[in-house]
Amino acid sequence: MAKVLYVEDNPDNMQLAQRVITALSHQFLWAADGLSGVSMAEAEQPDLILLDINLPDIDGYEVARRLRAKKDHMYVPIIAITANALKGDAERALAAGCDVYMSKPVNIRELRAHVMGLLVDSKTAPVPGKG
Ligand code: MN
């Protein structure tokens, strides 16, 4: 069982992802804004982070940058999820340190595939400094 944190201010989107994550028998954590997301990631050390970009305080890009700046979170996989789907969003998300970019409305099969793939990678890939 892995621990998955979703930083998302919209309860409907949160519940959709919660169903996907718990159906895969993973633990689901929720933070409703960016600063809570950063501190919850720090406290809970999740194996995977789902990250909304449009948040009420700091945006998801800033959340990703802050997490990547912390030594303990350098390697946690991050899936950016945004409603914008503007040209350049994917590039911005990747530049901020996210591994995967998805646009809303979230496709459940796609989300499930990304979650499974990234959790397998994080369990099998050697993590520098965590030998
Ligand atoms: Mn949002």
Side-chain angles (χ1 to χ4, degrees), residues 1-129:
M1 181 164 93
K3 194 186 278 189
V4 179
L5 169 64
Y6 191 11
V7 186
E8 168 65 78
D9 58 312
N10 181 309
D12 293 334
N13 292 330
M14 182 277 288
Q15 282 169 8
L16 183 81
Q18 184 176 34
R19 281 198 292 273
V20 171
I21 299 303
T22 56
L24 292 168
S25 300
H26 297 311
Q27 183 183 353
F28 182 84
L29 302 170
W30 176 43
D33 60 57
L35 293 172
S36 305
V38 172
S39 58
M40 198 177 288
E42 187 83 333
E44 298 285 346
Q45 299 284 309
D47 302 292
L48 173 67
I49 295 173
L50 310 181
L51 180 58
D52 179 30
I53 294 301
N54 301 301
L55 294 165
D57 49 359
I58 58 173
D59 67 21
Y61 303 119
E62 180 61 22
V63 171
R65 281 192 290 268
R66 291 189 187 195
L67 291 176
R68 289 301 186 228
K70 293 179 192 289
K71 192 167 175 289
D72 289 347
H73 301 291
M74 279 175 68
Y75 302 105
V76 61
I78 300 175
I79 301 176
I81 303 176
T82 181
N84 289 346
L86 298 173
K87 193 169 159 54
D89 278 358
E91 289 76 8
R92 278 190 76 189
L94 298 178
C98 300
D99 299 278
V100 171
Y101 173 89
M102 293 180 64
S103 53
K104 293 177 182 175
V106 168
N107 178 296
I108 289 179
R109 280 168 189 257
E110 188 186 355
L111 177 61
R112 189 186 293 127
H114 282 315
V115 168
M116 290 170 65
L118 288 168
L119 286 175
V120 167
D121 285 351
S122 71
K123 292 247 183 317
T124 54
V127 179

